[in-house]
Amino acid sequence: MKFTSALYGLFLVIVLITYWNIKQPKFRLWTIIISSIVFYASWDVQYIPLMIVLTFINFRLGVEIAKNSVSNNYPKKNNNNQDSDQDPEIIEADWNRNRLKILALGIFLNVGLLLVFKYSTILSEWIFRLDITLENASFKLGIPLGISFFTFENIAYLIDVYRGVPAADNLLKFTSYKLFFAKLISGPITRYHQISWQFDQPKSNHIYIRTEGLWLIARGAVKKGILADNLGIFVELCFNNVQRAGSTDLWLATFAYGFQLYLDFNGYVDIARGSALLLGLVLPENFDFPYLSSSIADFWRRWHITLGDWLRNYLYFPLGGSRRGLLRTCLNLLIVMLIAGIWHGSAWGFLVWGGLHGIALCIHRVTDVVSNNSKILRLFWHHPLGIILAWLLTQLTVFISWIWFRLPRIEDSALVMGNLWGHTADMQFIEKVYMEALNTSPNQVLWGLILIFVFMIVAYVFKRKLHLELTWQLKLVFVPLCFYAVWLLAPQGSLPYIYFDF
């Protein structure tokens, strides 16, 4: 049941009618749970029991961590109005050890399960030295859809409770949060405490809220169905014929893939957020015009915001963040980004992608320190020329690194890198790809990419600089037009959501 399909639209309408005609919060939660199970079953019914069991286990682990907290167990006076004979510091140390053991068990369970599903074949090859490949490994486990988002949310929840945030005390509410269909397979990564209170106090079913939800779904469908999927056809043709493509074609495909990935992911999240809003629930934003950022650090504050937030709060800060000097800061940044690369997949290309971003973050941090000690450099980076140069360097780094992300096999990505300069396209490639398959030309593809980027700039100026948005009446007018455009212009048989693979 794809977000951009008519079937999902029918499913959402049925859920909304049922949800808003139920007044009791408890039965609304059951509506979310049952509809989420139905939604997930349309994709992969065999892993529903696993997701439910994991939800229960993490709920219980959170309860146990909270039960062992000092605030719940600090020594109280006995019946004779005398303090306990035990040393409070010793008791507190025991409690902290117990809590840490439960947290470690939860992290080990969640990470271990993720590793089993995502890296079972690779680990078997390394450990047992079996002569198999990912393609012919008969024992390779299928990856449950959304398992990465699901796992990250579990770990964040357990760590938050360990740090003192109240644990969930209602299994029904926690299950609704974990299985909520709008975010289950596509994100954004949402913390329990960001949404739990909304189950009790959902936004009113007002015309403004309905319109905003529909508008998010409509614009998300345009991003995914029209822009991302059409770009994806060109990207697929180019990167599947690397040896025949010329340097110009590969550069176009590289930038097209960067836009495709952004529009595909951003579009899907828009649909997720719009679906949630129609139920009176607000999910966090996940993108903030990342291709307009002028530093790699700023890029990661704007790209996949909830993942960046997770990496900072649950990896970077525990490693020491920037509190232990420049060298340790750079090492922490590199470790975090390498882990981010490993999380995306088992192929070496993902590790290279993560490493490139880690190195870029280190260079940015060193440049920042040097610039702070040099008035000339500080003034230069704030000058329009310096800002443009910083933006160019940042985006060139981001888009080139996407090559390793799109082609995670080292041989493929290395071939593209080697052919980016001075490589002439095969005449048959030009004829088959541009003339027959796409009925276009390289210049038209280039202008299409420029037009998409210009539209991003215009949207940024209106939203961030002028603080202007369409009125709800205009949004309501554009919603059916967007759906009609998707029906008319989206390629037949929409491409799969890219982040299903992660």
Side-chain angles (χ1 to χ4, degrees):
M1 194 187 303
K2 296 178 182 178
F3 272 1
T4 52
S5 68
L7 181 60
Y8 177 75
L10 177 62
F11 163 81
L12 186 59
V13 168
I14 294 172
V15 172
L16 290 172
I17 293 173
T18 306
Y19 182 84
W20 287 112
N21 278 287
I22 294 175
K23 302 304 179 183
Q24 297 88 344
K26 177 180 178 180
F27 293 114
R28 281 186 172 179
L29 293 176
W30 274 114
T31 301
I32 290 176
I33 292 172
I34 293 171
S35 59
S36 298
I37 291 174
V38 171
F39 176 78
Y40 198 84
S42 71
W43 289 99
D44 198 353
V45 69
Q46 65 176 325
Y47 286 117
I48 290 176
L50 172 68
M51 306 298 262
I52 294 174
V53 169
L54 279 176
T55 296
F56 177 75
I57 290 174
N58 281 279
F59 172 78
R60 289 301 310 166
L61 287 171
V63 170
E64 291 302 317
I65 292 173
K67 187 186 298 182
N68 284 274
S69 67
V70 175
S71 59
N72 289 336
N73 294 284
Y74 202 83
K76 297 178 177 62
K77 291 185 179 181
N78 56 28
N79 293 333
N80 296 324
N81 203 31
Q82 294 178 347
D83 292 335
S84 171
D85 293 335
Q86 289 183 282
D87 186 344
E89 292 185 2
I90 296 176
I91 296 174
E92 183 177 340
D94 288 339
W95 288 332
N96 285 331
R97 278 194 293 270
N98 289 337
R99 295 170 66 238
L100 188 59
K101 287 178 183 177
I102 298 170
L103 175 64
L105 173 63
I107 293 175
F108 176 80
L109 172 68
N110 284 287
V111 173
L113 201 64
L114 184 63
L115 290 175
V116 166
F117 280 111
K118 296 191 77 168
Y119 308 106
S120 58
T121 305
I122 294 294
L123 291 174
S124 297
E125 289 180 0
W126 289 352
I127 296 173
F128 301 108
R129 300 180 182 276
L130 297 176
D131 186 20
I132 58 176
T133 65
L134 284 171
E135 290 75 20
N136 62 23
S138 59
F139 63 90
K140 183 183 178 183
L141 295 173
I143 302 176
L145 286 175
I147 189 64
S148 294
F149 294 106
F150 193 87
T151 301
F152 273 32
E153 286 183 345
N154 287 338
I155 294 171
Y157 169 71
L158 296 177
I159 293 176
D160 284 346
V161 173
Y162 178 80
R163 289 172 175 174
V165 177
D169 58 0
N170 186 319
L171 179 58
L172 198 61
K173 188 184 294 186
F174 187 77
T175 305
S176 300
Y177 152 72
K178 285 304 304 170
L179 300 183
F180 185 30
F181 66 88
K183 68 173 185 60
L184 180 58
I185 60 176
S186 62
I189 301 170
T190 308
R191 298 186 195 181
Y192 173 72
H193 304 91
Q194 289 177 317
I195 197 173
S196 60
W197 64 271
Q198 298 185 53
F199 290 129
D200 299 321
Q201 301 174 353
K203 284 186 174 292
S204 63
N205 194 20
H206 196 278
I207 184 65
Y208 304 133
I209 305 298
R210 294 181 194 176
T211 301
E212 187 61 30
L214 289 171
W215 171 245
L216 283 169
I217 293 173
R219 79 180 193 188
V222 169
K223 291 176 185 177
K224 163 64 180 166
I226 298 178
L227 300 175
D229 285 359
N230 279 297
L231 287 173
I233 294 172
F234 171 70
V235 171
E236 192 80 12
L237 289 169
C238 284
F239 282 144
N240 284 353
N241 298 277
V242 172
Q243 292 180 331
R244 292 186 169 187
S247 298
T248 300
D249 309 308
L250 294 176
W251 276 110
L252 287 175
T254 298
F255 285 105
Y257 177 68
F259 285 126
Q260 179 203 0
L261 184 62
Y262 168 69
L263 292 165
D264 186 275
F265 196 4
N266 191 11
Y268 235 72
V269 170
D270 276 352
I271 298 173
R273 294 182 64 237
S275 302
L277 194 57
L278 290 175
L279 292 166
L281 306 171
V282 179
L283 297 179
E285 290 194 33
N286 221 17
F287 294 91
D288 184 19
F289 302 98
Y291 290 146
L292 298 181
S293 53
S294 57
S295 74
I296 195 68
D298 191 37
F299 173 82
W300 273 102
R301 284 188 287 268
R302 298 177 172 207
W303 173 272
H304 203 338
I305 296 170
T306 56
L307 175 61
D309 180 69
W310 194 97
L311 293 172
R312 278 190 300 274
N313 281 287
Y314 305 109
L315 278 178
Y316 180 65
F317 291 150
L319 286 172
S322 57
R323 301 188 302 271
R324 301 182 183 180
L326 181 60
L327 184 60
R328 181 59 184 271
T329 298
C330 291
L331 180 61
N332 291 341
L333 290 169
L334 189 57
I335 291 172
V336 168
M337 293 314 301
L338 286 173
I339 292 175
I342 293 171
W343 170 70
H344 279 91
S346 56
W348 285 105
F350 294 115
L351 196 64
V352 174
W353 171 81
L356 288 172
H357 276 267
I359 292 170
L361 285 167
C362 292
I363 293 173
H364 170 260
R365 185 55 63 98
V366 172
T367 303
D368 213 27
V369 171
V370 172
S371 298
N372 287 335
N373 295 320
S374 171
K375 185 177 180 180
I376 295 176
L377 284 176
R378 189 164 60 249
L379 290 174
F380 173 74
W381 292 121
H382 286 87
H383 189 274
L385 183 62
I387 293 173
I388 293 173
L389 178 61
W391 173 79
L392 284 171
L393 292 173
T394 299
Q395 299 310 323
L396 192 61
T397 301
V398 168
F399 278 91
I400 288 180
S401 67
W402 285 139
I403 294 173
W404 305 89
F405 197 89
R406 175 60 176 77
L407 300 171
R409 287 183 70 249
I410 292 293
E411 298 84 355
D412 296 334
S413 47
L415 181 60
V416 172
M417 293 296 294
N419 289 349
L420 283 178
W421 290 274
H423 188 73
T424 305
D426 188 321
M427 288 303 299
Q428 191 176 15
F429 173 87
I430 296 175
E431 182 180 346
K432 294 290 184 182
V433 171
Y434 292 104
M435 297 180 182
E436 294 184 13
L438 300 176
N439 192 27
T440 186
S441 68
N443 283 337
Q444 289 175 320
V445 173
L446 175 61
W447 280 110
L449 295 176
I450 292 173
L451 188 62
I452 292 173
F453 182 67
V454 169
F455 186 80
M456 287 183 189
I457 295 175
V458 172
Y460 174 79
V461 170
F462 273 87
K463 187 173 183 179
R464 291 286 180 263
K465 299 300 181 182
L466 301 179
H467 303 288
L468 295 175
E469 282 201 29
L470 296 175
T471 63
W472 71 267
Q473 293 93 339
L474 278 176
K475 288 179 179 179
L476 202 55
V477 170
F478 280 120
V479 164
L481 295 178
C482 287
F483 288 137
Y484 178 71
V486 172
W487 176 75
L488 199 64
L489 301 175
Q492 191 172 8
S494 62
L495 299 183
Y497 174 54
I498 294 177
Y499 255 74
F500 278 167
D501 294 334
F502 308 120

